[in-house]
Amino acid sequence: NGDSLTLVVTGDIIADVASTANDLTILVDATATDDGGDTTLILNGATLDLGQGTGITLNSDANDIAKLRFNGGSAQTLEGNITASADGEGVVIIEGSSLTTQDDIGVAGTGVASIQIAASKTLTQKAATGDAVTFDVVGNVDADGSGGTGGTLVIEGGDAVSGTDGSAVTLATI
C-alpha cells in the first residue's frame, strides 16, 4: 500500500559502553513490505554517540528506500558507522545543521546509494586517532538527489588530537 514510516529521535544518543559488542546498533529497514513505502530515521540531537560497534545500517530494496536524516538545530557529531546492507542502498541526508563524524560512511564494495547535503551545510568525515575510515557512495553527493548544488563535503585524514597522530582514509569512492 506504499505506507512510509518515519521515526524521529529528538534528543542526544549516548550509547557508547565499555564493550564494543554492546554498543548501540540501529537498522533502518525499508524492505519489510516491498510496497514502495520508505523508512526514515531522523536524528535531531547534537551528540549521537553509538560507540564503535556496528552503528547504523541502511537496508533498501528496489522501491523501498531507507533514509537517515540529520536534522539538528545546531552542529551535530556522530560516533558510529553508517553502512548499507548491500551496495547502493540507503540515502543519507544532512539538512538541519552540519554533521561531523569520525567513522565509516559506506565500506568498500558496499557503498550507500547517495548523500544529500543541503546548501550552506557541511558533512565532515575525520579519520580520528586509532580509527581509519572509509567513504563509499555509489550515486551522487548533492543537495537533493537530482544533481542540484548542495553544501560542502570534507573528507579529512590524519586528524591529530593532543600530539597523537590521526588515522588514514583508506578508501574514498563516489
Side-chain angles (χ1 to χ4, degrees), residues 83-165:
T83 58
S85 290
D87 202 32
E89 293 186 0
V91 176
V92 178
I93 303 164
I94 315 301
E95 66 181 4
S97 63
S98 295
L99 173 69
T100 300
T101 183
Q102 63 182 17
D103 289 301
D104 296 335
I105 301 174
V107 295
T110 313
V112 298
S114 67
I115 295 179
Q116 299 172 11
I117 307 170
S120 77
K121 308 303 178 205
T122 301
L123 169 59
T124 302
Q125 181 189 37
K126 294 183 172 192
T129 59
D131 189 14
V133 298
T134 61
F135 183 90
D136 190 348
V137 178
V138 175
N140 291 333
V141 176
D142 61 14
D144 55 11
S146 62
T149 302
T152 304
L153 171 65
V154 177
I155 302 172
E156 179 182 304
D159 189 35
V161 176
S162 302
T164 303
D165 291 341

Side-chain angles (χ1 to χ4, degrees), residues 2 5 7 16 20 29 34 40 74 77 92 95 106 108 135 145 156 163 167:
L5 172 68
L7 174 65
D16 190 359
T20 299
D29 189 359
D34 196 26
T40 305
S74 62
T77 59
V92 178
E95 66 181 4
F135 183 90
E156 179 182 304
S167 294

